[in-house]
């Protein structure tokens, strides 16, 4: 397993749910963590928890549907630290529609801004430094909901994020910088709802394993539930066999 002790990570959407679990797991692995939420108050307690784990941590805030705020929060981070592990976890999911074609166009715009455009801005901001330093790990949170038309705005945004990931991974050859997607599964969170079958704690270590794998795991789909109950070390060892080659199809 790669030694990421003392490196800096950024987790978006870290105030609760999946992002909160990811941030704490990174801190337990000895990784310094920048935590993001819409408002600084949302992660105040988390920053203290992370510092109690013996790592450095601080918070940034910004509305991810506003590209100017995304760039501003990234610039704030860059003035303070160099990010080696980027986890674009934050996302929005509009309500289901029946019939599905009645989704308002504004839902598509905001969903794409948060779920696709914001991650791509963060890649634009942090990837050059990773390439310059010769190390970087990027993990975008995706979803297995890709083929449910009732969730078209959300599903289409995740399909677009997968395509962008696949295209970028194809260019990150012969460098120790990777980009993968991780699917947490259907989780009982504010977004997933109370009927989801999986507890939020099951997302780790799978949702962070992409930060610790070797460079040959690139352009992959990581199902977090495949690693539920494992230690991070065991998950890293299992990842090459369990991860799937990311593919974008019309099927």
């Amino acid at each position: 397993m790669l030694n990421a002790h003392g490196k800096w990570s950024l987790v978006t959407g870290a105030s609760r749910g999946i992002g909160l679990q990811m941030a704490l797991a990174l801190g337990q692995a000895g990784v310094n963590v920048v935590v993001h939420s819409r408002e600084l108050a949302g992660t105040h307690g988390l920053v203290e928890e992370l510092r109690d784990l013996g790592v450095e941590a601080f918070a940034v805030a910004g509305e991810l549907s506003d590209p100017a705020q995304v760039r501003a929060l990234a610039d704030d981070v860059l003035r303070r630290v160099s990010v080696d592990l980027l986890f674009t976890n934050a996302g929005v999911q509009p309500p289901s529609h029946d019939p599905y074609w009645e989704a308002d166009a504004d839902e598509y715009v905001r969903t794409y801004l948060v779920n696709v455009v914001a991650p791509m801005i963060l890649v634009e901001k942090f990837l050059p430094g990773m390439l310059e330093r010769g190390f970087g790990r990027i993990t975008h949170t995706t979803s297995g909901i890709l083929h449910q038309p009732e969730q078209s705005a959300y599903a289409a945004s995740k399909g677009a994020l997968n395509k962008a990931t696949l295209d970028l991974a194809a260019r990150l050859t012969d460098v120790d910088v990777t980009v993968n997607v991780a699917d947490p599964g259907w989780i009982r969170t504010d977004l997933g709802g109370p009927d989801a079958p999986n507890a939020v704690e099951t997302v780790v270590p799978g949702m962070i394993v992409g930060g610790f794998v070797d460079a040959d795991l690139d352009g992959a789909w990581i199902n977090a539930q495949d690693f539920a109950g494992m230690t991070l070390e065991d998950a890293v060892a299992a990842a090459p066999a369990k991860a799937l080659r990311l593919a974008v199809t019309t099927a």
Side-chain angles (χ1 to χ4, degrees):
M1 185 176 86
L2 290 175
N3 181 11
H5 186 86
K7 293 188 181 297
W8 277 95
S9 63
L10 169 62
V11 181
T12 64
S15 63
R16 61 185 185 273
I18 294 167
L20 174 63
Q21 296 297 319
M22 293 168 66
L24 290 172
L26 287 164
Q28 291 163 359
V31 180
N32 301 322
V33 191
V34 183
V35 291
H36 158 268
S37 60
R38 288 191 181 96
E39 298 180 357
L40 289 175
T43 50
H44 177 75
L46 175 57
V47 168
E48 296 305 315
E49 283 188 73
L50 288 165
R51 290 173 177 169
D52 287 344
L53 292 173
V55 299
E56 297 181 64
F58 65 90
V60 293
E63 172 52 60
L64 298 187
S65 64
D66 181 352
Q69 291 193 44
V70 180
R71 291 191 171 90
L73 77 85
D75 289 338
D76 183 17
V77 174
L78 286 168
R79 282 190 292 268
R80 302 166 73 173
V81 299
S82 297
V83 170
D84 294 304
L85 285 70
L86 172 63
F87 297 91
T88 66
N89 166 72
V92 293
Q93 182 175 354
S96 296
H97 291 279
D98 185 14
Y100 64 85
W101 55 83
E102 289 187 353
D104 191 278
D106 288 343
E107 292 184 4
Y108 280 85
V109 172
R110 184 169 187 272
T111 304
Y112 266 70
L113 283 170
V114 175
N115 295 0
V116 185
V117 176
M120 292 304 100
I121 291 173
L122 295 177
V123 169
E124 169 197 327
K125 288 289 189 177
F126 294 114
L127 179 58
M130 294 177 181
L131 294 171
E132 182 178 341
R133 292 186 301 274
F135 176 82
R137 297 290 183 269
I138 300 169
T139 302
H140 299 304
T141 296
T142 190
S143 172
I145 203 170
L146 295 178
H147 303 301
Q148 293 189 20
E150 297 82 5
Q151 291 278 335
S152 188
Y154 180 72
S157 74
K158 292 303 183 180
L161 185 63
N162 293 348
K163 180 62 166 66
T165 298
L166 188 62
D167 289 348
L168 181 58
R171 300 296 186 270
L172 294 177
T173 57
D174 301 321
V175 294
D176 195 8
V177 179
T178 66
V179 55
N180 296 293
V181 298
D183 176 11
W186 190 10
I187 307 298
R188 290 190 297 276
T189 61
D190 290 346
L191 189 146
D195 297 328
N198 300 305
V200 69
E201 292 81 8
T202 63
V203 302
V204 293
M207 290 301 294
I208 67 165
V209 72
F212 300 84
V213 295
D214 290 332
D216 54 356
L217 189 64
D218 192 21
W221 176 300
I222 299 168
N223 289 310
Q225 292 304 310
D226 289 344
F227 302 90
M230 291 187 182
T231 64
L232 179 57
E233 291 80 5
D234 287 345
V236 171
K242 287 184 175 292
L244 304 173
R245 178 64 185 170
L246 181 60
V248 178
T249 72
T250 58

